[in-house]
Amino acid sequence: MLQAWHLPVAPFIKQNAQRLTITLWLAGDDLPQRVTLRAERDNEETSIPMTRVRNAPQEGVTAWRATIALDEGQPRRRYSFKLLWPSRQRWFTPQGFNDYPPARLEQFAVDAPDNGPSWVAEQIFYQIFPDRFARSLPRKAGQDNVYYHHAAHRDIILRDWDEPVTAEAGGSTFYGGDLDGISEKLPWLQKLGVTALYLNPVFTAPSVHKYDTQDYRHVDPQFGGDQALLRLRDNTRRAGMRLVLDGVFNHSGDSHPWFDRHNAATGGACHNPESTYRDWYSFSEDGRALDWLGYPSLPKLDYQSSTLIDEIYQGEDSVVRHWLREPWGMDGWRLDVVHMLGEAGGAQNNLQHVRGITQAAKQVNPEAYIVGEHFGDARQWLQADVEDAAMNYRGFTVPLWGFLANTDISYDPQHIDAETCINWMEQYRAGLSHQQQLRMFNQLDSHDTARFKTLLGKDVARLPLGVVWLFCWPGVPCIYYGDEVGLDGNNDPFCRKPYPWDAEKQDRDLFALYQRLARLRKQRRALRYGGCNVLYAKGDVVVFMRLWQQQKVLIAINRGDETRIELPWSPLMAQTEWRLEEGKAQLTGQSLLMPAISCGIWRNDSR
């Protein structure tokens, strides 16, 4: 049987000045007579004959090599391999062999040069819902004011930290978490291994979640105001941490002065057709403002307006630019429901405006990280390079849920085996360049989903398997606050419980697992920059390898009963001495013995 190996990392690719050398390994009885590299020059397909390498990398393996120029063409270098016999051909791509040419966006791809933010792949992110993470003392003026929340038709509720979350008034219930509280807990996060923070919205807004922005230019007093963000920025820098904000630019809140539903006497667009801001929103013929998904408190912003464009991203002092400049110096934006942003109450010209946001951010800070929120397929935006990365629900979170928790993104039953799960993940990865894959924002859950622990239900013993996968799969891992100590919770508001700072309420074994995996990721460049090769995916077991130069990390996950499997022969496994780093699985040669519901992580000794 013919086998092939290629990953878009060394030793399979090597850059030397303005040349990129690409190598394919083959093994089997029916080897091709010729191999051609299908590459591109300014988006035009071109075929480059490959040369068989005289010195084989290993016994039984032949290598074919070709070189492409990097001083011409587009930075994203897409390629695949055409294998030729006297009367037939086959193609090799990231998804394996095929009998016909692959689609353009389903080929190997590397960015050379890579213009994305270089620091992202090094990080371990931590997502914080500010009201529920940590409460500083003493309280400052304005932090605990009770006011009327128009969208909920009631006063807000203030609760003590240890009071349970209830379904009542989810968006109007505050526990008093703030930015100074985050500052105080940075040592705890450093102990965990966190190097970057992503905060849910911090700007002035009436709700606890702050996605109904009332003022894009100031931090909410409940969170400590502008000075608290400055203190947090200073403290994160001292701790060597990055800080990314949540940008809600698809809609504002209806209490924003631009709109101002609740005060007809002002110049807001809601009641005043002559308002300066009228064209910043869309209105139906009967004068009703178009909102986001039926929420009247979230009127859609209309990017047909050139003055709105200037205010949000294009102008020199636009909102996007303002928070990236000093003294704030934020490291990037997570863009809320960014695929829905656009013109005329919908998503018209969406890519144009998302690109505009990203370009404006990069003009202030070329290394700014722009990550889009997409529950669906984000590859249209990524392939157009209008974002650096996306929240990787479709390519990581949801297939992992299907395999370990037997549910999909709608919480409908989904029972998939290892092969289906990996095919899903690999098919999604195939549409992205290697560098984009490394920047994808991977999470087990978030403020918009039920907690992974809760989704697992009776299969909660599988929780460590998901954590291992999170830290080892291509992409940057992000921990949703509290997951590391076993916080549970169903959908909003229950996935937004206050952090359990009482040590007796924390799962310290789970916390220790997160710590070990964070250390391992920091130690092994293969986990941060390596290619990914799946060696086995059947039934209950997934085995994959991360490879960077001579450094290897092998990861095995078994969701089911105790099992012994024989891994297929691979030159990536041969002549390697493995050291077990995590788990109780046993690897002897190609034979893998895995206890029930277990994982194993091995590394070689290469640095």
Side-chain angles (χ1 to χ4, degrees):
M1 182 179 70
L2 183 65
Q3 293 179 277
W5 296 269
H6 176 81
L7 296 172
V9 295
F12 295 99
I13 65 172
K14 181 179 180 181
Q15 184 173 344
N16 186 4
Q18 292 299 309
R19 310 292 291 177
L20 187 69
T21 300
I22 298 173
T23 303
L24 174 69
W25 292 358
L26 296 173
D29 298 327
D30 186 20
L31 295 174
Q33 294 183 356
R34 293 185 292 130
V35 180
T36 298
L37 180 70
R38 184 274 187 203
E40 292 181 352
R41 180 177 178 181
D42 287 330
N43 302 328
E44 175 69 14
E45 292 187 18
T46 182
S47 294
I48 303 173
M50 301 190 77
T51 302
R52 183 167 173 172
V53 179
R54 290 185 178 181
N55 298 321
Q58 290 185 28
E59 184 178 352
V61 178
T62 62
W64 295 78
R65 185 171 294 160
T67 301
I68 63 174
L70 298 179
D71 57 357
E72 60 185 15
Q74 303 301 306
R76 182 151 301 140
R77 317 291 170 167
R78 302 185 190 278
Y79 60 92
S80 55
F81 303 96
K82 184 180 184 181
L83 283 57
L84 291 158
W85 291 263
S87 60
R88 61 190 178 91
Q89 61 180 250
R90 296 185 80 185
W91 293 78
F92 184 68
T93 74
Q95 297 182 77
F97 287 112
N98 212 331
D99 292 325
Y100 53 86
R104 179 171 182 263
L105 301 180
E106 295 180 355
Q107 305 189 62
F108 295 102
V110 294
D111 293 331
D114 176 22
N115 296 318
S118 59
W119 55 272
V120 172
E122 292 281 343
Q123 309 306 310
I124 295 171
F125 269 87
Y126 193 84
Q127 180 191 346
I128 294 178
F129 192 81
D131 182 68
R132 308 292 166 84
F133 181 63
R135 176 184 173 98
S136 68
L137 294 173
R139 309 297 288 163
K140 299 176 180 63
Q143 286 197 267
D144 295 317
N145 289 342
V146 173
Y147 55 85
Y148 189 76
H149 186 191
H150 287 279
H153 308 293
R154 62 172 303 152
D155 287 340
I156 66 164
I157 301 169
L158 301 180
R159 285 192 174 147
D160 292 332
W161 199 257
D162 292 325
E163 287 188 73
V165 170
T166 70
E168 178 192 12
S172 307
T173 301
F174 291 79
Y175 282 81
D178 55 28
L179 301 188
D180 285 325
I182 298 173
S183 284
E184 292 172 6
K185 298 300 183 181
L186 291 183
W188 171 267
L189 296 176
Q190 288 181 291
K191 180 181 176 183
L192 176 60
V194 169
T195 63
L197 304 182
Y198 149 49
L199 306 184
N200 286 113
V202 299
F203 304 126
T204 303
S207 70
V208 68
H209 53 72
K210 307 298 179 194
Y211 284 97
D212 49 347
T213 313
Q214 185 173 309
D215 186 344
Y216 288 97
R217 301 282 179 170
H218 292 288
V219 175
D220 199 293
Q222 291 165 302
F223 293 162
D226 295 352
Q227 293 304 309
L229 183 59
L230 281 174
R231 289 190 291 270
L232 179 59
R233 173 72 287 195
D234 183 59
N235 291 329
T236 51
R237 281 176 164 161
R238 291 175 186 272
M241 287 185 178
R242 302 283 184 160
L243 185 57
V244 171
L245 297 183
D246 206 328
V248 188
F249 305 134
N250 171 71
H251 51 266
S252 75
D254 66 352
S255 61
H256 198 295
W258 300 342
F259 192 81
D260 210 350
R261 181 188 303 278
H262 311 295
N263 189 347
T266 66
C270 182
H271 303 289
N272 183 3
E274 305 303 318
S275 170
T276 303
Y277 309 111
R278 184 73 174 188
D279 69 344
W280 291 21
Y281 299 90
S282 299
F283 292 85
S284 63
E285 291 183 0
D286 62 1
R288 182 181 60 85
L290 303 185
D291 56 45
W292 180 67
L293 296 183
Y295 294 97
S297 61
L298 303 176
K300 280 269 291 184
L301 293 168
D302 188 345
Y303 284 85
Q304 289 183 106
S305 169
S306 61
T307 52
L308 174 66
I309 291 172
D310 282 342
E311 173 66 19
I312 295 296
Y313 67 83
Q314 193 62 59
E316 280 302 305
D317 191 35
S318 65
V319 174
V320 167
R321 297 175 192 262
H322 174 78
W323 295 101
L324 297 179
R325 288 199 177 102
E326 297 300 331
W328 313 101
M330 298 299 155
D331 291 298
W333 289 101
R334 177 265 196 189
L335 302 177
D336 182 59
V337 291
V338 68
H339 53 287
M340 301 184 74
L341 179 151
E343 302 173 4
Q348 294 179 26
N349 292 321
N350 173 266
L351 287 177
Q352 169 189 326
H353 296 295
V354 180
R355 179 180 288 108
I357 291 171
T358 298
Q359 289 176 342
K362 303 288 187 181
Q363 287 168 5
V364 176
N365 177 7
E367 285 284 290
Y369 181 41
I370 308 301
V371 55
E373 180 204 22
H374 303 267
F375 272 89
D377 191 342
R379 289 175 295 181
Q380 176 184 355
W381 290 264
L382 296 167
Q383 289 160 354
D385 290 309
V386 300
E387 302 169 346
D388 294 314
M391 298 184 77
N392 202 11
Y393 289 108
R394 181 61 64 91
F396 176 79
T397 310
V398 182
L400 184 143
W401 282 9
F403 181 66
L404 293 180
N406 300 319
T407 189
D408 70 4
I409 196 64
S410 301
Y411 309 109
D412 293 323
Q414 184 171 45
H415 297 264
I416 60 176
D417 61 10
E419 184 175 14
T420 302
C421 177
I422 288 300
N423 285 343
W424 184 347
M425 287 182 164
E426 292 288 84
Q427 190 273 341
Y428 195 84
R429 279 205 309 135
L432 305 176
S433 74
H434 175 66
Q435 288 78 7
Q436 286 178 313
Q437 293 175 31
L438 299 180
R439 287 191 286 266
M440 290 296 280
F441 203 77
N442 293 343
Q443 293 183 275
L444 295 176
D445 46 28
S446 74
H447 68 293
D448 281 324
T449 74
R451 297 268 181 174
F452 181 58
K453 181 178 180 179
T454 296
L455 291 174
L456 287 168
K458 63 181 178 59
D459 293 315
V460 70
R462 295 175 176 177
L463 178 57
L465 311 186
V467 179
V468 166
W469 214 327
L470 174 68
F471 277 83
C472 295
W473 193 251
V476 57
C478 180
I479 306 163
Y480 182 42
Y481 82 96
D483 276 359
E484 73 279 8
V485 292
L487 197 60
D488 61 3
N490 219 313
N491 281 333
D492 175 27
F494 301 102
C495 59
R496 305 174 181 182
K497 294 178 180 178
Y499 195 99
W501 290 110
D502 183 348
E504 294 183 358
K505 298 179 180 179
Q506 298 175 355
D507 185 336
R508 301 313 294 264
D509 290 337
L510 184 59
F511 185 87
L513 173 64
Y514 273 89
Q515 286 181 301
R516 294 194 302 273
L517 292 171
R519 283 195 298 269
L520 181 62
R521 184 178 174 88
K522 183 177 181 180
Q523 294 166 358
R524 309 303 286 176
R525 287 182 65 87
L527 291 177
R528 307 193 305 275
Y529 294 102
C532 181
N533 180 251
V534 177
L535 292 104
Y536 186 93
K538 293 181 181 178
D540 294 325
V541 179
V542 172
V543 183
F544 61 93
M545 179 188 295
R546 300 294 303 278
L547 173 70
W548 183 80
Q549 296 184 358
Q550 300 304 312
Q551 193 179 98
K552 302 174 185 178
V553 179
L554 184 70
I555 301 97
I557 292 169
N558 174 28
R559 71 176 182 185
D561 296 333
E562 179 179 311
T563 185
R564 182 184 293 275
I565 63 171
E566 293 296 320
L567 296 174
W569 179 85
S570 167
L572 300 179
M573 289 281 292
Q575 302 174 5
T576 302
E577 293 186 9
W578 296 104
R579 171 180 170 181
L580 183 66
E581 287 284 332
E582 185 66 42
K584 298 181 179 179
Q586 300 175 30
L587 178 65
T588 306
Q590 303 293 123
S591 182
L592 179 61
L593 176 62
M594 300 203 68
I597 311 180
S598 68
C599 63
I601 304 177
W602 298 261
R603 68 170 177 86
N604 66 348
D605 287 328
S606 175
R607 291 291 173 183

